[in-house]
Amino acid sequence: PRVDSSSIDANGIIRAFISPTQPTRYTLTVTDRNGAGVPLTQSLQIGILLPQASAPAAVVFDTVNTFFRLSTTQTIRFTNTSPDGTTLTLGTPRSTSGAFRFISGIGASVQAGQSLDLQVVFDPKRDGLTTDTLLIAFGPCDRFVSVVVSGVRVTPVLLPPRSEEHT
């Protein structure tokens, strides 16, 4: 880990700003000399936790039958499971197929221990099974949770009425 900056103000308050890359523990040791020149040392252990969240591992959408509708919507529940009380802000989700898109929740803040229902639309452009992995980004540390999503689109074939031959 690196120390971005540190300072001591006029009241003797020490501030150190670090950029953790993973959950870890730090030991802060301060040594001062009292009036007699004797070093006084105090150590403090600090735990740094990364924000955490959860969402369902997989969500299956209803079949899109183009005779009746062109898309369908499903709810994905995002839960802030951060143990340290961090509020999470939802960022822009990522999808590789383009058939799934979020219509609510982006940019929302979720308090620790709270959940937010995200609305996702399945809007396929071709028939058949579509499977994708949605990456739901959240901050403040640019983390994400992934949800495997799938859905099927079918286009019915309408046949003309059969003519009956009479004998």
Side-chain angles (χ1 to χ4, degrees):
R2 81 174 191 258
V3 176
D4 296 327
S5 65
S6 62
S7 64
I8 300 176
D9 69 15
N11 296 318
I13 297 175
I14 300 169
R15 289 184 174 82
F17 298 93
I18 58 174
S19 297
T21 56
Q22 61 185 11
T24 190
R25 286 200 165 291
Y26 297 96
T27 300
L28 173 65
T29 302
V30 177
T31 302
D32 192 9
R33 297 194 183 274
N34 66 10
V38 177
L40 301 172
T41 302
Q42 179 69 43
S43 292
L44 172 67
Q45 290 250 333
I46 302 169
I48 303 295
L49 303 172
L50 290 177
Q52 298 173 20
S54 67
V59 174
V60 177
F61 283 73
D62 292 337
T63 296
V64 173
N65 180 329
T66 59
F67 187 75
F68 300 105
R69 62 183 174 192
L70 297 177
S71 66
T72 185
T73 302
Q74 192 67 275
T75 299
I76 295 177
R77 177 162 284 185
F78 175 90
T79 302
N80 179 345
T81 58
S82 295
D84 63 350
T86 300
T87 296
L88 302 180
T89 301
L90 296 177
T92 303
R94 289 175 246 157
S95 162
T96 55
S97 73
F100 301 89
R101 61 185 165 78
F102 286 82
I103 58 172
S104 73
I106 304 312
S109 293
V110 183
Q111 301 292 322
Q114 300 296 309
S115 297
L116 178 67
D117 288 339
L118 307 171
Q119 298 297 312
V120 180
V121 171
F122 173 47
D123 185 15
K125 302 302 179 211
R126 60 178 174 75
D127 283 356
L129 174 67
T130 302
T131 300
D132 199 351
T133 299
L134 299 178
L135 299 177
I136 304 171
F138 62 90
C141 296
D142 297 326
R143 296 183 48 102
F144 64 89
V145 292
S146 60
V147 180
V148 176
V149 290
S150 61
V152 174
R153 174 183 144 162
V154 294
T155 301
V157 176
L158 301 177
L159 300 174
R162 287 182 28 177
S163 63
E164 295 183 24
E165 291 184 26
H166 298 286
T167 54

